[in-house]
Amino acid sequence: MTPEPALTEDETTPGTTRPAPGALSRWGAAMVGRATWVFGVWVLLLVALGAAAPSVFSSLAGAGWQADGSESVQVRELAQQHFGGNSSAAVQVVVHSDNTRIDSAPVQAVVSKIADLAATDGRFAEVIPPQPGTSISPDGHTGIVIIGAAADTDDMVRAVDEHKAELTGLSTDGIEVYPTGASALWSDFNKANHDAMIKAELFSWPVTLTIMVLAFGSLVAAGLPLLLTIAGLVASAGGLVLLNQVTLISVWAINFAMMFALALGIDYALFVVSRFRDSIRAHGEDIRAAVAETMDTAGKAVLLSGITVLVSLSAVLLVPAPAVRTMAVGIMLAVVFVLAATLTLLPAALGKLGGKVDAVSLPYARRQQHRSPVFARWGGFLHRHPWTVTVGSLAVLIALSIPVFGLKVAMPSISVVPEDAPVRQGYALVASEMGRGAPGVLQIVAPAAEAAQSAEIAAVSPGIEMVTPPMPAADDSGYVLLQAIPSVDPSDSRMGPVVEDLRAALPDGSLVGGAPTENLDLQQALNDHFPLVVTVILVLGFLLLLVSLQAPLIALIGTVVSLLSTAAAFGVAKLIFQDGYLSDLLGFTPQGFLDGWGPVFFFAMIFAIAMDYTVFLLATAKEHLERSGHPATAQVDGMAHSGRIIFAAAAVMVAVFFTFALAEPLPPKEMGIILGVAVLLDAVLIRLTLLPALLRITGRAAWWTPAWLRRVLPSISFSH
């Protein structure tokens, strides 16, 4: 065993005198003394927010996947304003018949019914029937009716939600009707995603309860985290509905909020309840003292963890994409409510339950101690073999991280929508009857003076199959609209160069947009902001660990290893979703890339979860350092007291996330697998292995703090 380095005059020599009870200790005691008021406030809050919660999926915005201020968004706004709503948000209704042509009386009757239906809703603008040479297939059997957009993208998605059954219901014998276009795409995808998320949530609850019962050995103790999570979920759902009245919130926000409320709610409650069960053995009948000690130790770690998660997710707000920003807002709102419940409702409930927290328990539960003998032995093993463990863990993590250098990203293709969805059936018809690029028409808005020049340039631009004649604006605004049909599928990697070449060749006053271009502009915005988001998350994460632990070296180590687990998770994601490994087992067809919003958003989520475990482990280690004054004791006892909790919390998170792998749509499947793999790697290879080994290797230096830094940082202690 190597000797520990001697203390220097700049070091803090941990003493054995425990600090006076802190603010959270007094707070916990107050929650016990005012439990009735706490329960009453939460009941009122849940009743008020719960009344709005059931409408969350129908109230939230269905679109928002755009780069604000981009050229493509400008084109959509100009087309909507000056060209009868013929923008990327317009609904394209595909009408097809194998037996008769579009100009036949039966098909024209269906086209008239489509126009009549559009006239009943103010969100629909001008209706353009199928036009020869542009929106009718060469064989004359397929046509596209364009229903202009007279509302924003979110309202257009809602309009399709409400009318797509009527539109598809216009199909008769031999005539098929399918709404397509971007608005219809998000309508069908949001529904498929919603159904998948609900199924996954329902499946995850019994799995979660089983893990909780096994971890706690008590049905009452296991039920507390689930009740806490339900409170957080209901409050989050209702809060998002109310927040949507102020600013539009993407419906995806509730999906992520549900996932994180379940995972973090159980995570936090597990940490607090486990500590309370240990404290109550020490304090006996003095329940208030047991709760006070619990909140002064585990409660403090939970508070700092929650702040770390919130800070990590806040970096996503830098991305100028409404859907991405509001997904982060949804998770942050869920974390706030779960954190509030953990710091108020949970201590009040523990105060009322007291020793009954172990009621309805399994035989081993009452013998179970907070200090796990199994993880104490594991901590001892890590203490004896730190270099072997460190090298082995790093080798695995680095090997899994290497594939990330070949990772490709792009916005989702039509394949993420179920095959039986109307939008996909219409898309397939347009592609087969009118050409691969026909579903992804590009729009060019140009000044009228440049109409002929723009049309001529666009017609000879690489990758452009056909350009429609310039259509003048109806309001004499001086603009013309051209439709350019590319020769490649909208999700083809060659679409990017096609748009780049077109934009570079057109006169300065011409703008290129359309649904494929909006995806490309959004992807570019995500790529451009990714380094900034990563930098902000890393810097803020390090600063929060520094404030929490008062030790720069271990704060830096905690941040770096969290980055390593994130890279390994993305490396696995590349192998599965880009290269197609395990795709048959998981039931999906790889797109050849990871969905474009994944790196920014998943990085923030994975890093937040990783830092969550980091705070739990290192806060426990620091508590034992403050008690004993010995880094070796801190490393072994930190693992002994937090290992089982981290293991159980990780098991719950992995179970919750992996249930989303059962989803049919690809994005929720990506989300579940990537997050599940990230938690698994982080818990097993880092929090329970690498980080404790590095604590052993760095010894007393891990907790060293320069005198000048001690004077700057607020004093935070984890012992009671």
Side-chain angles (χ1 to χ4, degrees):
M1 186 178 295
T2 57
E4 294 176 0
L7 290 170
T8 68
E9 62 180 3
D10 283 336
E11 269 186 285
T12 302
T13 306
T16 56
T17 302
R18 298 178 186 177
L24 278 175
S25 174
R26 298 190 296 273
W27 176 265
M31 294 300 100
V32 175
R34 297 172 175 81
T36 303
W37 280 98
V38 174
F39 295 147
V41 169
W42 270 98
V43 167
L44 291 175
L45 180 66
L46 292 177
V47 168
L49 294 178
S55 65
V56 64
F57 286 104
S58 59
S59 299
L60 301 187
W65 295 95
Q66 64 187 44
D68 286 345
S70 64
E71 183 174 329
S72 56
V73 171
Q74 294 178 54
V75 169
R76 187 183 69 217
E77 292 171 348
L78 289 170
Q80 195 152 321
Q81 182 179 358
H82 302 295
F83 297 94
N86 186 10
S87 69
S88 61
V91 183
Q92 301 168 19
V93 184
V94 179
V95 182
H96 172 78
S97 174
D98 289 330
N99 305 319
T100 184
R101 296 172 60 86
I102 294 299
D103 56 6
S104 67
V107 175
Q108 287 300 307
V110 171
V111 171
S112 296
K113 290 178 181 178
I114 294 172
D116 292 342
L117 189 154
T120 65
D121 194 317
R123 291 169 294 191
F124 294 136
E126 181 182 343
V127 176
I128 304 174
Q131 302 294 313
T134 57
S135 53
I136 296 180
S137 63
D139 66 2
H141 287 267
T142 304
I144 301 174
V145 180
I146 297 175
I147 304 177
D152 61 30
T153 53
D154 294 303
D155 281 334
M156 290 307 298
V157 173
R158 291 192 186 96
V160 176
D161 288 340
E162 296 170 17
H163 294 292
K164 65 183 174 185
E166 295 175 76
L167 288 169
T168 55
L170 295 176
S171 299
T172 61
D173 291 339
I175 301 176
E176 302 169 59
V177 179
Y178 302 108
T180 66
S183 297
L185 171 64
W186 287 114
S187 174
D188 281 353
F189 177 68
N190 289 340
K191 181 183 184 304
N193 180 62
H194 166 257
D195 294 344
M197 298 291 280
I198 293 298
K199 288 179 182 177
E201 288 282 352
L202 292 176
F203 184 79
S204 67
W205 281 98
V207 175
T208 299
L209 180 59
T210 301
I211 296 173
M212 288 290 93
V213 171
L214 292 175
F216 283 113
S218 162
L219 192 60
V220 173
L224 280 175
L226 296 182
L227 291 175
L228 186 77
T229 301
I230 291 172
L233 278 172
V234 172
S236 301
L240 285 173
V241 172
L242 297 181
L243 186 60
N244 191 60
Q245 305 303 313
V246 179
T247 181
L248 291 176
I249 303 293
S250 171
V251 71
W252 277 65
I254 187 59
N255 296 333
F256 284 100
M258 289 169 63
M259 179 185 287
F260 254 62
L262 181 58
L264 286 185
I266 290 171
D267 205 4
Y268 293 162
L270 182 63
F271 198 60
V272 171
V273 173
S274 296
R275 185 55 187 262
F276 174 73
R277 297 171 79 195
D278 189 57
S279 298
I280 204 171
R281 293 187 180 100
H283 292 279
E285 297 298 322
D286 193 350
I287 305 301
R288 181 176 294 201
V291 173
E293 179 178 322
T294 299
M295 297 307 293
D296 206 24
T297 52
K300 190 176 297 178
V302 164
L303 176 60
L304 291 169
S305 168
I307 293 172
T308 303
V309 172
L310 290 172
V311 166
S312 295
L313 292 169
S314 68
V316 180
L317 300 178
L318 297 172
V319 180
V324 175
R325 283 177 172 173
T326 56
M327 284 194 295
V329 169
I331 298 179
M332 293 169 69
L333 191 64
V335 173
V336 167
F337 279 117
V338 166
L339 193 58
T342 305
L343 299 178
T344 58
L345 186 59
L346 186 56
L350 292 174
K352 286 294 185 183
L353 284 172
K356 294 178 183 178
V357 72
D358 285 326
V360 196
S361 60
L362 298 175
Y364 66 84
R366 294 188 181 277
R367 301 191 303 271
Q368 194 179 64
Q369 297 181 359
H370 187 56
R371 188 182 193 276
S372 167
V374 173
F375 283 97
R377 290 193 295 271
W378 176 245
F381 175 82
L382 296 175
H383 189 80
R384 294 189 300 273
H385 308 283
W387 284 106
T388 302
V389 170
T390 297
V391 171
S393 298
L394 285 174
V396 174
L397 289 166
I398 291 172
L400 292 176
S401 300
I402 290 174
V404 81
F405 293 103
L407 183 66
K408 299 176 182 177
V409 293
M411 294 307 293
S413 66
I414 191 67
S415 62
V416 301
V417 181
E419 292 183 1
D420 60 350
V423 68
R424 185 161 179 179
Q425 293 174 301
Y427 183 103
L429 271 174
V430 172
S432 63
E433 301 296 325
M434 301 183 182
R436 288 176 300 172
V441 174
L442 305 179
Q443 293 187 312
I444 303 170
V445 173
E450 298 174 357
Q453 182 185 6
S454 296
E456 182 180 343
I457 292 173
V460 298
S461 184
I464 298 300
E465 193 78 21
M466 185 190 77
V467 178
T468 63
M471 180 176 72
D475 57 2
D476 297 325
S477 60
Y479 290 110
V480 295
L481 175 67
L482 301 92
Q483 309 269 14
I485 300 177
S487 58
V488 297
D489 183 87
S491 59
D492 194 302
S493 60
R494 292 172 292 177
M495 179 63 82
V498 168
V499 173
E500 289 176 9
D501 290 341
L502 183 59
R503 282 177 167 170
L506 288 172
D508 292 339
S510 299
L511 304 174
V512 179
T517 313
E518 290 182 22
N519 283 341
L520 293 170
D521 286 348
L522 174 57
Q523 185 62 65
Q524 189 61 51
L526 291 167
N527 294 344
D528 291 344
H529 285 80
F530 182 64
L532 176 62
V533 170
V534 170
T535 301
V536 170
I537 289 175
L538 292 177
V539 170
L540 293 180
F542 168 74
L543 291 176
L544 279 168
L545 279 184
L546 180 61
V547 170
S548 303
L549 303 172
Q550 316 276 294
L553 180 58
I554 195 58
L556 179 63
I557 290 173
T559 305
V560 171
V561 296
S562 296
L563 181 62
L564 189 59
S565 69
T566 306
F570 276 113
V572 174
K574 188 262 183 184
L575 295 175
I576 294 176
F577 294 105
Q578 181 174 315
D579 298 341
Y581 291 98
L582 303 179
S583 58
D584 291 338
L585 177 65
L586 296 171
F588 72 94
T589 301
Q591 301 180 94
F593 54 81
L594 186 68
D595 282 342
W597 49 271
V600 168
F601 208 73
F602 287 145
F603 182 89
M605 295 174 73
I606 294 170
F607 195 84
I609 295 171
M611 295 296 277
D612 177 42
Y613 289 140
T614 300
V615 170
F616 285 172
L617 174 65
L618 295 181
T620 306
K622 188 169 189 287
E623 177 186 350
H624 288 280
L625 179 74
E626 292 170 353
R627 288 175 181 272
S628 67
H630 298 293
T633 302
Q635 183 251 310
V636 176
D637 279 358
M639 174 57 64
H641 285 82
S642 66
R644 183 172 58 210
I645 299 169
I646 292 174
F647 183 82
V652 170
M653 279 201 179
V654 170
V656 169
F657 292 149
F658 276 175
T659 55
F660 289 87
L662 304 175
E664 182 180 350
L666 189 55
K669 191 185 294 287
E670 285 181 346
M671 178 172 59
I673 292 175
I674 292 173
L675 293 179
V677 167
V679 171
L680 187 62
L681 292 175
D682 190 81
V684 174
L685 291 177
I686 293 187
R687 307 310 147 194
L688 299 179
T689 305
L690 178 59
L691 192 53
L694 290 173
L695 275 179
R696 169 67 181 93
I697 290 171
T698 52
R700 195 171 293 276
W703 304 103
W704 170 76
T705 309
W708 66 268
L709 186 58
R710 287 202 310 271
R711 291 191 293 269
V712 174
L713 295 175
S715 178
I716 296 179
S717 171
F718 286 94
S719 65
H720 181 74

